[in-house]
Amino acid sequence: MYAHRSSPSFSKVILRLFAVVSVIFMLYYGYSTFHHTDPLKERLYELGYPTQGYIVQNGTILWSDGHITIMQGAYVENYPITAEQAYNLVLQYLASYNEKLRKYGYRLYPEKKSLTEKEKNGQLYWVFELKLKAGSNDMFAGFAWVNRETGVIDISGLLG
């Protein structure tokens, strides 16, 4: 014969359910708090760059930091400006504008998530969307084009 087991009381069920939900919530909160991904690295991955090392596609070496090397027979062309360097160059370029805008409560910044690759006049560029931050609002202000070979910046939009 089987021993008779009484069913757990309502309070024990609620207590166990609360404990399980609390553990799940704390695990999610801990993960979301300490697990940060760089939007620039995410965007590079979306553009086809590897997360580590390099890959070769049709004679082009794509490095994980965003610089590329193009090989056509004995001809090798290197574009050394990485995505992070391009972002920092744009920040440096905008520093003088931001100094003037600070007294009005505005700030210009390149949006990391908007990083794209474009070609113009035979040159390769990193392109960022520029945003104008006014209080808690962000407005589109143009584009920042960074030459991948020389690092020269060209702004199109509000500033040029």
Side-chain angles (χ1 to χ4, degrees):
M1 233 181 164
Y2 295 109
H4 183 267
R5 290 176 48 186
S6 63
S7 58
S9 68
F10 180 73
S11 60
K12 285 185 180 180
V13 171
I14 296 298
L15 183 63
R16 288 179 184 161
L17 186 61
F18 177 75
V20 168
V21 170
S22 295
V23 167
I24 291 171
F25 177 74
M26 287 190 315
L27 288 173
Y28 172 75
Y29 180 74
Y31 175 78
S32 64
T33 300
F34 298 111
H35 180 26
H36 295 286
T37 56
D38 183 15
L40 204 55
K41 293 206 182 288
E42 282 182 23
R43 187 65 186 132
L44 279 173
Y45 181 74
E46 291 170 3
L47 291 171
Y49 288 85
T51 56
Q52 293 179 345
Y54 64 91
I55 58 173
V56 179
Q57 292 179 337
N58 301 326
T60 302
I61 302 174
L62 302 174
W63 301 89
S64 62
D65 60 1
H67 82 274
I68 61 173
T69 305
I70 299 173
M71 299 177 300
Q72 296 172 348
Y75 177 71
V76 176
E77 191 172 9
N78 191 34
Y79 292 90
I81 303 296
T82 66
E84 190 71 35
Q85 288 172 331
Y87 180 77
N88 290 330
L89 286 170
V90 173
L91 286 178
Q92 290 172 2
Y93 184 86
L94 295 174
S96 62
Y97 291 103
N98 283 328
E99 190 65 36
K100 295 172 187 172
L101 291 171
R102 184 182 314 191
K103 60 184 167 188
Y104 302 109
Y106 295 123
R107 183 174 70 91
L108 278 168
Y109 68 95
E111 188 172 43
K112 285 184 174 183
K113 295 184 297 188
S114 69
L115 175 70
T116 57
E117 301 176 280
K118 302 244 178 171
E119 184 177 347
K120 180 170 73 169
N121 299 330
Q123 293 289 317
L124 296 178
Y125 290 87
W126 287 120
V127 181
F128 292 95
E129 279 186 14
L130 291 180
K131 297 288 185 161
L132 179 65
K133 186 163 185 74
S136 62
N137 297 326
D138 292 338
M139 296 176 279
F140 175 76
F143 293 100
W145 294 66
V146 181
N147 188 311
R148 293 181 71 170
E149 189 172 16
T150 62
V152 174
I153 298 172
D154 183 30
I155 302 290
S156 61
L158 287 180
L159 302 176

